[in-house]
Amino acid sequence: MSGPRYERTRRQDQHLIGFECQACGWVSFPEEKRTCKRCGDAPAEMTEVQLQERGEIQTFVVQQYLPDDIETPQPVAIVDLPQAGEGEPARAYGLLTETDLEEIDVGTEVVARFRELFSDGERPINSFKFSVPREEKA
Amino acid sequence: MTDPHVVGAGMIDFGELYEQSFDDLLESAYLSLIENVDKGVDPSDIDAAWYGTIDIANEGSSGSAVAHATGLFETPITRVENACATGSDAFRNAAQAVKAGDAEVALVIGAEKMTDSTEGLIASAALERLWRGRGVTMPAYFGMRATRHLEEYETTREQIAEISVKNHENGTKYPHAHQQFECSVEDVKESPTVSYPLNLYDCCPVTDGASAVLVTSEDRAREFTDDPIRVAGYGLASDTFQRGAPEALTNFPATRQASSQAYERAGLGPEDVDVAEVHDCFSITELITYEDLGFCEEGKGGQFVEEGRPHLDGDKPVNPSGGLLSKGHPIGATGVAQIAEIFEQLRGEAGAVQVDEPEVGLQHNIGIGRNATGAVSCVNVLERP
Ligand SMILES: [Zn+2]
């Protein structure tokens, strides 16, 4: 699998940029949208917002069975990424990396780390994974 | 406008049916239906059909597959795909057409050939799409609700496991169920971890299956049986945790919406439901569904099962058939089979898993799609007329 799909949201993927609905405050990430998934406003007025690199785990699992090319155990979380300014966070899936399983819980603070996520067959696809901030590690 | 009625149901034994092709499954379910209509049905009476499958076997199984399996080549046949709500949505479409008077005798047939798939759901869940849950398999998707439910409420691991224990016990009494064994709470807790916090016995098996039902108008129902079952209501809705609602981390707002649509159409509420077949693809899914259907308060699903209320002898029996956990989950067939089971229950024909004289039955599916970011739920309510 390769090609243009990774170019479409490349700026958002690499710079954590979201889009806030001016009618209800919902934040789209990473897609730049013209309709709102929460209030249904269409066309919606969406304003670009910067997301923070520090987020919070809302829930998670630890994957034991995955295709051979994905390392296990693989913790995967739903992470809230707050805006740099005022407003609601964006909510997205995040893979965890460089983190002990014992460090992960609902509410754990995580920081975005720019990593190669996988290869599209020709070149690496880079975006963010998440880990527990280093200074909080014992 | 007329009230649609279910007048017949057919079901095959679910399992790893290596000797049967996808077409064989469809043919068997269709013949089972034809042979089980009380007063008989002439295939030429069938004037429309809806076919539920997600075609996981990748056979290009459009509506014409049903024509090939049944001989109904001149009849309009529509394939429906709506994730794990595929079979129930096929039924809903048929009920709508009959209600509108456009179809008079509608076939609903669902089938899935799960064991021919070489990649399966695990590989398909690992699609390389950024922020769309690369590595979020089905057990991971539902397991995330378990993690959060355990954290947020007084839910215990044992309560979640008890659902699997209950459904496997029911399944041993239900002739069409795939996995015919009993297990204990300890067995569930000690089975291998699939996706923490869910273990192997928290997961439904990989199963082939097919089922079919016949839906007709109130006027024509008694041509086929003296004991028809009325379709009282139905609902369908989608949701995603990406909308940011806190309840979407522990529960399924799509189920709440679909069930409130169905209750409203039926003029009934959760307190009126006497028996339910719900989507227990994983143990936690059923626990959440008790809450989303209004069988208990939010956060009290664990207590609900610990008190024995959804058990076969409880006041709100859920999944007397053994559910997906025991019976299996051939995706397109699942919802149609649940309708067949509710039909049997309301007619008092459910044998060893018959509950005490139910008047109202509910069928529910919750499915996920769009690389594990979307949820879709379908709910159908049936009633003795
Ligand atoms: Zn909005």
Side-chain angles (χ1 to χ4, degrees):
Chain A
M1 198 181 297
S2 68
R5 63 172 45 166
Y6 302 115
E7 300 299 323
R8 291 178 195 137
T9 58
R10 187 175 178 146
R11 194 169 69 93
Q12 296 94 297
D13 295 335
Q14 299 194 352
H15 301 280
L16 296 180
I17 290 163
F19 303 91
E20 183 183 64
C21 173
Q22 297 307 295
C24 75
W26 176 73
V27 179
S28 177
F29 175 77
E31 295 97 346
E32 181 169 10
K33 290 186 57 58
R34 291 176 293 157
T35 56
C36 177
K37 287 193 195 185
R38 182 193 288 152
C39 73
D41 201 16
E45 189 189 336
M46 305 292 283
T47 301
E48 187 170 313
V49 295
Q50 179 65 51
L51 304 174
Q52 294 182 35
E53 291 192 2
R54 289 214 173 203
E56 185 185 289
I57 292 179
Q58 300 302 307
T59 190
F60 71 99
V61 293
V62 183
Q63 288 278 62
Q64 296 288 354
Y65 286 93
L66 286 171
D68 295 343
D69 59 328
I70 303 180
E71 217 177 293
T72 53
Q74 170 62 64
V76 190
I78 293 175
V79 178
D80 272 7
L81 292 168
Q83 295 185 32
E86 295 290 299
E88 292 185 30
R91 184 165 284 174
Y93 283 125
L95 296 176
L96 290 155
T97 186
E98 300 146 49
T99 296
D100 294 333
L101 297 180
E102 298 73 43
E103 296 177 296
I104 304 167
D105 212 338
V106 174
T108 300
E109 187 184 40
V110 287
V111 60
R113 308 256 184 224
F114 199 64
R115 294 286 182 270
E116 177 182 333
L117 287 200
F118 48 85
S119 167
D120 74 350
E122 291 166 17
R123 64 223 144 119
I125 302 301
N126 298 320
S127 185
F128 289 95
K129 293 187 180 182
F130 295 88
S131 65
V132 172
R134 291 188 207 294
E135 63 270 20
E136 287 179 18
K137 283 196 183 184
Chain B
M1 298 268 276
T2 175
D3 279 344
H5 285 66
V6 183
V7 293
M11 179 88 186
I12 67 167
D13 291 345
F14 284 9
E16 292 173 328
L17 308 176
Y18 296 116
E19 72 290 357
Q20 292 189 47
S21 70
F22 202 168
D23 281 3
D24 292 338
L25 300 179
L26 284 165
E27 188 178 79
S28 299
Y30 177 66
L31 289 175
S32 171
L33 169 66
I34 296 289
E35 288 161 5
N36 276 306
V37 174
D38 294 341
K39 297 183 183 175
V41 56
D42 188 325
S44 66
D45 283 338
I46 297 170
D47 60 0
W50 277 264
Y51 169 34
T53 188
I54 72 162
D55 193 19
I56 202 162
N58 201 18
E59 290 200 14
S61 198
S62 60
S64 69
V66 169
H68 281 268
T70 62
L72 297 170
F73 281 95
E74 283 88 29
T75 308
I77 305 172
T78 304
R79 177 191 159 188
V80 175
E81 192 280 326
N82 215 343
C84 294
T86 289
S88 45
D89 195 17
F91 176 79
R92 190 188 66 96
N93 274 269
Q96 285 184 312
V98 169
K99 191 177 180 69
D102 192 61
E104 288 196 4
V105 182
L107 168 69
V108 184
I109 188 161
E112 211 70 59
K113 186 68 196 165
M114 301 290 288
T115 58
D116 275 2
S117 173
T118 50
E119 289 195 320
L121 289 165
I122 293 280
S124 68
L127 284 173
E128 294 174 333
R129 309 282 302 260
L130 291 174
W131 309 106
R132 280 214 206 165
R134 173 175 151 85
V136 180
T137 57
M138 306 296 156
Y141 182 87
F142 290 93
M144 287 200 192
R145 274 76 199 162
T147 301
R148 179 91 183 190
H149 212 280
L150 285 160
E151 172 79 17
E152 197 160 316
Y153 301 112
E154 287 168 17
T155 309
T156 66
R157 184 64 184 89
E158 288 73 21
Q159 290 168 341
I160 296 172
E162 176 59 29
I163 287 168
S164 187
V165 173
K166 166 182 77 75
N167 290 355
H168 278 95
E169 190 183 334
N170 291 350
T172 61
K173 300 173 190 163
Y174 183 68
H176 301 300
H178 176 191
Q179 299 282 9
Q180 302 266 354
F181 66 86
E182 292 189 16
C183 59
S184 67
V185 166
E186 283 310 304
D187 291 336
V188 178
K189 285 172 67 183
E190 286 165 15
S191 62
T193 303
V194 173
S195 182
Y196 167 86
L198 298 183
N199 295 344
L200 186 62
Y201 286 3
D202 290 296
C203 308
C204 66
V206 176
T207 304
D208 299 323
S211 183
V213 300
L214 198 66
V215 184
T216 188
S217 62
E218 185 168 11
D219 289 347
R220 296 196 58 182
R222 282 180 168 75
E223 286 177 34
F224 303 100
T225 177
D226 291 329
D227 196 10
I229 297 299
R230 193 170 79 93
V231 184
Y234 40 73
L236 179 73
S238 302
D239 192 60
T240 170
F241 71 89
Q242 293 173 327
R243 300 176 80 201
E247 59 270 27
L249 295 170
T250 51
N251 288 70
F252 291 110
T255 294
R256 297 180 186 190
Q257 180 59 36
S259 59
S260 73
Q261 289 174 16
Y263 289 140
E264 193 177 320
R265 275 182 192 278
L268 298 167
E271 65 283 358
D272 299 310
V273 175
D274 300 312
V275 59
E277 287 286 335
V278 312
H279 202 83
D280 59 328
C281 51
F282 302 95
S283 50
I284 183 66
T285 319
E286 181 172 320
L287 187 148
I288 290 168
T289 299
Y290 300 147
E291 302 171 11
D292 291 336
L293 293 174
F295 293 174
C296 65
E297 282 173 48
E298 187 171 325
K300 301 285 190 189
Q303 190 185 326
F304 185 76
V305 66
E306 191 175 326
E307 290 171 354
R309 298 186 57 195
H311 289 63
L312 208 49
D313 59 355
D315 70 311
K316 194 71 92 181
V318 176
N319 285 331
S321 71
L324 285 49
L325 283 167
S326 165
K327 188 175 53 193
H329 182 20
I331 299 172
T334 294
V336 183
Q338 290 172 314
I339 295 287
E341 286 142 12
I342 293 294
F343 176 73
E344 287 182 352
Q345 284 284 351
L346 296 180
R347 286 167 35 118
E349 295 174 337
V353 294
Q354 180 65 49
V355 310
D356 189 27
E357 297 187 2
E359 294 283 323
V360 175
L362 180 146
Q363 178 272 334
H364 159 268
N365 291 127
I366 178 84
I368 68 174
R370 198 179 171 273
N371 303 129
T373 58
V376 56
S377 177
C378 187
V379 172
N380 292 291
V381 176
L382 276 62
E383 184 179 27
R384 290 195 61 82

